Amino acid sequence: MAKRRIMDAKCTVIIFVFSCLIGTLRANKDISYSIDSVSLKDASVISLEERHRRQSGDAPAQGDTTTAPNLLDYNIMHDDHTYYRSTMLLREMADSYWVELLDQVGHTTLSDSHRTAVTAKLPFQFPFYGHTVTNITIATGGFIYMSPFIHKFLTATQYIAPLMANFDTKTGGKNSTVVFKHVDQKFVVEWRDVHLQDQNDTGTFRFQVILHYNGSIIFVYKKMPIRPSQISDRNHKVAFGLSDAFYYDTEYVDDDGQSKKRRTIYEYHRVVLNTTEIQEGTVVILHPKPTCNSFNDCESCVTASIGFTCKWCGIIQRCSDSVDWHRQEWLKAGCVHLSGSANCSMIPTKHPEKQTDTTSDTLHFVDDHSNMPNDGVGTKVAVIVIVIVLVVILVGSIAGWIYYAYTHPTSASGMWLMEHRPSQMKAKMANMKFWKSNGAAGDKYAVESSA
């Protein structure tokens, strides 16, 4: 028995150490960006859940202005990601979607820097996961940060990433640059002849991301000297796709006794593209799917059939499935407890008022013992005695079972008790699938505001 307990303890230690190593490795994936000319706030990042799913065979929606041309089926791959539907053109289609920006000079800050980003104002309101975005942050690392809350860890979440990697425009000379321009009803960002800092001998990359006013997103890969699987993620996160998150603010007291606010970022969804098919000439089109937060009135919200359980909260006048940028306000208003009623007239528009019982102050009860049966008190006493006896018997039985299990470890009771002892519960907790980064890992991106 002693030998078995020693083996259990060793297993618990091994599982705990392994879990810590996994948590450390995952936390190091967050690359922090230093940001110039922008007020920054520290934020810890917690990954909660990835709600995306992949399902082949979904046809493109009708009426989209950015639908793919009529190609053979084996040239097109369709994926469903809950919030977005992707269409991947596998043949040489880059020239058909590429937007020439030859007359556009590279941005001064982004053209000779590493892990740097600048903010820019969009010429239209761009819907991203159903939220309206007017300012974006363009990074040298091949991605766009989409949140209005600017912090150092831009690669963690809330991004549009045609090819997020460790690009350095200083190593490519004057031709290596990042340009962006408003063209018709599109906003185009191009990473032109950029090099990987830690793989400079691989050649130059050239690719674009095109934001359409209707929310569609297009990735165009003009130059891809190596396959995505060959790009190193040792010094920088590598990502192809989208990500979004919501915030939650809490108050805390620092070491000096000062009350401060901490903002935590919770990633709730990620679109991960199939990188085995991405190569030079590939085009990826991402069409936004309807979301609850895009509805502005109760009737359209509660009658929506879009794959989400949309609820209308009359207190804050908002439609949601409870997971979006305004989740904290949704929880604070008590909207999470809504039943999802389809009758808008039955949905409350304000917090229920607390009911005060005033009858206890005005009503007086008079006991007329002459009308009460004489055995009423005796009955109450008997019930109390029976309850006490039952409790004593129950406690005694449990104590006796524990004593028996402890003194007979080879019995069924003894084996069950050993399997559910505290050390086993600690081992289970060590395998919980979440991680937290306190903001100490990774290099920083410098961000310059021009919006």
Side-chain angles (χ1 to χ4, degrees), residues 32 66 86 91 97 204 272 305 342-344 362 405 424 439 444:
S32 62
T66 56
S86 69
R91 299 296 181 183
Y97 288 87
T204 60
V272 180
S305 179
N343 188 349
C344 292
T362 57
Q424 293 294 326
K444 300 177 180 178

Side-chain angles (χ1 to χ4, degrees), residues 88-343:
M88 186 176 294
L89 310 184
L90 307 180
R91 299 296 181 183
E92 296 290 336
M93 293 300 301
D95 291 338
S96 300
Y97 288 87
W98 187 266
V99 179
E100 289 294 348
L101 302 177
L102 297 178
D103 59 337
Q104 189 71 16
V105 297
H107 190 277
T108 304
T109 303
L110 297 177
S111 299
D112 188 21
S113 57
H114 176 238
R115 286 183 183 152
T116 304
V118 298
T119 59
K121 186 173 181 61
L122 292 175
F124 46 79
Q125 293 184 337
F126 181 76
F128 181 66
Y129 280 88
H131 308 101
T132 300
V133 177
T134 57
N135 293 316
I136 60 175
T137 303
I138 304 169
T140 55
F143 68 98
I144 300 174
Y145 177 72
M146 300 299 292
S147 173
F149 175 64
I150 305 296
H151 56 86
K152 298 177 182 178
F153 300 94
L154 301 185
T155 63
T157 182
Q158 295 189 291
Y159 55 73
I160 296 177
L163 204 173
M164 180 191 292
N166 195 22
F167 291 114
D168 186 352
T169 57
K170 293 185 295 184
T171 60
K174 63 179 182 179
N175 294 327
S176 182
T177 184
V178 180
V179 299
F180 50 90
K181 185 179 180 181
H182 174 215
V183 181
D184 297 330
Q185 293 180 319
K186 304 182 289 289
F187 188 84
V188 185
V189 182
E190 178 182 337
W191 287 264
R192 180 183 298 170
D193 297 331
V194 293
H195 292 256
L196 293 169
Q197 188 190 63
D198 42 7
Q199 294 174 283
N200 196 23
D201 57 342
T202 58
T204 60
F205 291 76
R206 191 176 183 183
F207 54 94
Q208 289 182 345
V209 57
I210 305 170
L211 307 182
H212 284 254
Y213 76 98
N214 64 355
S216 295
I217 304 168
I218 300 180
F219 299 159
V220 187
Y221 301 94
K222 189 85 166 182
K223 291 183 180 179
M224 285 278 290
I226 59 176
R227 305 287 293 186
S229 59
Q230 297 174 300
I231 300 175
S232 173
D233 62 352
R234 180 177 181 180
N235 298 315
H236 194 289
K237 180 178 180 178
V238 176
F240 293 77
L242 314 176
S243 174
D244 198 22
F246 61 84
Y247 309 128
Y248 200 90
D249 296 331
T250 55
E251 299 286 341
Y252 75 99
V253 179
D254 62 12
D255 296 336
D256 298 329
Q258 300 294 325
S259 178
K260 294 185 177 181
K261 180 181 291 186
R262 176 184 288 114
R263 170 163 286 186
T264 305
I265 306 174
Y266 293 88
E267 182 187 48
Y268 67 88
H269 186 263
R270 186 183 300 175
V271 174
V272 180
L273 298 178
N274 182 4
T275 58
T276 59
E277 301 295 340
I278 295 179
Q279 56 186 312
E280 191 169 292
T282 300
V283 176
V284 178
I285 304 174
L286 293 158
H287 296 290
K289 302 177 71 174
T291 56
C292 297
N293 55 353
S294 62
F295 298 106
N296 298 319
D297 63 275
C298 177
E299 191 65 30
S300 60
C301 174
V302 298
T303 58
S305 179
I306 59 173
F308 295 99
T309 303
C310 298
K311 297 180 181 180
W312 179 260
C313 185
I315 299 173
I316 58 176
Q317 295 292 298
R318 180 171 291 126
C319 181
S320 177
D321 66 337
S322 81
V323 181
D324 55 36
W325 287 4
H326 305 284
R327 177 168 173 79
Q328 184 165 11
E329 183 183 9
W330 185 269
L331 296 176
K332 186 176 180 181
C335 305
V336 71
H337 301 297
L338 294 174
S339 61
S341 174
N343 188 349

